[in-house]
């Protein structure tokens, strides 16, 4: 059987197909748009714990601890060392960032003295040890002269996630405690709760 030749596409059809291909390629290679904003701007994309939560919770809890009666009973500024904040959620939370927010709020209050915590002490001690060998005697930082802490701040971040259809609820609870190092007495217990609803439309209680 003799095959009939296939019709050749017209010039107009070929040009249209070429334009469609170019448009598709251009759309797929469109550059990603990046917008710079102030670090204090609230940007909540997923509803999960973010930098704004870290900063606001830290500031609110430090206001609470500084207004607590334990501080008024002391004649001088107590010395505080930051321990650790445990992440008991199923998501990654930068607890180091949260601790730095807490440390900054405490130090800027000028109501307490904040000393280097476990993560900062080793580099300091290494530097002092090297000064004993390499630095001029008059400029050496003395060893065994650190300021001992009176209290340690520790905490826990917990979370519960609920999901139904296209709606999600994220619940976070942050618990902090300030404990006397010598006696083990907890002089302050702070708690902050956050709840976020993520979904289409407005949330109705």
């Amino acid at each position: 059987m003799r095959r009939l030749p296939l019709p050749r596409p017209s010039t107009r059809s070929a040009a249209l197909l070429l334009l469609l291909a170019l448009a598709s390629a251009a759309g797929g290679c469109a550059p990603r748009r990046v917008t710079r904003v102030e670090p204090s701007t609230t940007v909540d994309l997923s509803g999960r714990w973010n930098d704004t939560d870290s900063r606001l919770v830290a500031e609110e809890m430090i206001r609470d601890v500084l207004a607590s009666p334990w501080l008024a009973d002391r004649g001088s500024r107590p010395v505080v060392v930051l321990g650790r904040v445990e992440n008991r959620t199923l998501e990654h939370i930068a607890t180091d960032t949260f601790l730095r927010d807490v440390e900054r709020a405490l130090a800027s209050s000028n109501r307490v003295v904040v000393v280097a915590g476990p993560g900062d002490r080793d580099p300091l001690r290494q530097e002092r040890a090297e000064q004993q060998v390499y630095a001029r005697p008059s400029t050496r930082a003395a060893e065994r002269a650190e300021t001992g802490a009176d209290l340690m701040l520790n905490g826990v971040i917990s979370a519960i996630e609920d999901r139904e259809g296209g709606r999600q609820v994220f619940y976070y609870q942050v618990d902090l405690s300030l404990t006397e190092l010598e006696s083990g007495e907890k002089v302050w217990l702070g708690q902050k709760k956050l709840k976020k609803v993520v979904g289409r439309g407005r949330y109705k209680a």
Side-chain angles (χ1 to χ4, degrees), residues 18-31:
L18 180 60
L19 287 175
L20 289 174
L22 290 174
S24 177
C29 299

Side-chain angles (χ1 to χ4, degrees), residues 8 38 50 53 79 158:
R8 298 181 62 183
E38 290 296 323
N50 58 29
D53 299 324
V79 181
S158 307

